[in-house]
């Protein structure tokens, strides 16, 4: 239950620390986050902040969503997400307010959610990391075969969940406990140490880590 930002994965690069060490980072563009709705326990049953990110043409927005944006007095966005927050955090914001990237600081632990790159139909070796059979000494056209999948007469069927070939990728994944390496408040960029799920220009959700340890001396 913490407020975060919606952003776009720009790509990867590296930055240098003061001692000259190279740090691989993923650049996230989180500029232009604006509050479109504040939900409360009295009216909606829970407390949350709804955030819009990006831009969308008026011809690409339905009348219902256009009315929702007009009521908030903000420009239509390409992504609409909400964050569950505490009641006191919701009371500190107003509809139409812009969320800045300076809510994150270098060294802070964050969780990043994105949609992984779709890889289409894949075999068991690529999808489940099976080992291939030997490619010599009489092995015939079964180098990358998954092997036997059947059962005996009892139960006589393949159990659900059997690891087989199929669609790989294009699923939502969250990488936890990533470290913020640098924050560019002027351009609205957050540089996260390490890799982030998804392809370039894909939408991501950046929020404070749920598993980060409390600072020493704190509660």
């Amino acid at each position: 239950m913490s407020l975060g930002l919606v952003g776009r994965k720009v790509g990867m690069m590296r930055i240098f620390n003061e001692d000259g060490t190279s740090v691989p980072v993923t650049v996230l563009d989180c500029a232009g986050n604006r509050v479109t709705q504040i939900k409360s326990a009295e009216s909606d049953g829970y407390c949350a902040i709804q955030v819009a990110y990006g831009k969308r043409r008026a011809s690409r927005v339905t009348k219902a969503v256009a009315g929702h944006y007009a009521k908030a007095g903000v420009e239509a966005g390409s992504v609409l997400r909400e964050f569950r927050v505490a009641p006191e955090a919701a009371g500190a914001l107003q509809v139409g307010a812009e969320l800045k990237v300076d809510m994150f600081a270098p060294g802070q632990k964050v969780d990043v959610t994105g949609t992984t790159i779709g890889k289409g139909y894949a075999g068991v070796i690529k999808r489940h990391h099976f080992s291939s059979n030997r490619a010599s000494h009489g092995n015939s056209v079964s180098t990358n075969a998954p092997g036997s999948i059947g059962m005996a007469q009892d139960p006589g069927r393949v159990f659900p969940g059997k690891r087989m070939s199929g669609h790989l990728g294009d699923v939502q994944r969250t990488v936890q406990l990533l470290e913020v390496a640098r924050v560019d408040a002027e351009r609205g960029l957050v540089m996260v140490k390490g890799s982030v799920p998804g392809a370039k220009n894909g939408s991501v959700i950046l929020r404070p880590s749920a598993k980060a340890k409390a600072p020493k001396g704190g509660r």
Side-chain angles (χ1 to χ4, degrees):
M1 296 180 62
S2 58
L3 183 61
L5 295 174
V6 183
R8 176 179 63 91
K9 179 179 178 179
V10 179
M12 292 198 70
M13 57 176 289
R14 65 173 178 170
I15 60 177
F16 293 92
N17 293 329
E18 295 180 355
D19 58 357
T21 56
S22 174
V23 180
V25 296
T26 302
V27 182
L28 306 178
D29 181 7
C30 299
N33 278 263
R34 52 231 184 243
V35 179
T36 56
Q37 185 180 1
I38 298 178
K39 297 186 176 183
S40 63
E42 293 77 16
S43 60
D44 302 283
Y46 64 99
C47 293
I49 303 294
Q50 190 183 83
V51 177
Y53 171 80
K55 297 180 180 179
R56 175 162 290 183
R57 290 180 295 174
S59 60
R60 296 295 182 181
V61 180
T62 62
K63 290 185 178 180
V65 177
H68 182 66
Y69 284 122
K71 182 179 179 180
V74 298
E75 183 181 5
S78 58
V79 181
L80 197 64
R81 294 289 184 271
E82 66 177 40
F83 300 90
R84 297 287 289 265
V85 297
E88 53 270 15
L93 292 172
Q94 294 182 351
V95 175
E98 185 175 353
L99 303 178
K100 303 290 186 179
V101 296
D102 54 9
M103 62 189 296
F104 296 99
Q108 181 180 356
K109 298 294 184 179
V110 294
D111 296 339
V112 182
T113 302
T115 303
T116 60
I117 298 175
K119 299 179 182 296
Y121 191 92
V124 292
I125 293 179
K126 183 175 182 179
R127 190 183 187 202
H128 299 296
H129 310 292
F130 281 18
S131 60
S132 60
N133 296 318
R134 60 192 301 178
S136 61
H137 294 282
N139 192 8
S140 177
V141 200
S142 61
T143 306
N144 295 334
S148 175
I149 65 169
M151 306 291 289
Q153 184 173 355
D154 182 22
R157 63 188 180 93
V158 178
F159 287 122
K162 180 70 176 177
R163 292 185 298 173
M164 300 175 66
S165 59
H167 185 267
L168 177 62
D170 193 26
V171 292
Q172 181 175 290
R173 288 290 180 265
T174 299
V175 178
Q176 298 179 323
L177 295 173
L178 294 176
E179 182 179 341
V180 176
R182 187 174 298 176
V183 176
D184 190 340
E186 183 178 352
R187 295 188 292 176
L189 302 178
V190 179
M191 301 178 190
V192 180
K193 182 178 179 181
S195 60
V196 167
K200 292 181 180 180
N201 296 321
S203 298
V204 295
I205 299 176
L206 179 68
R207 55 168 62 91
S209 177
K211 295 183 179 179
K213 295 182 179 179
K216 294 183 179 180
R219 296 184 178 180

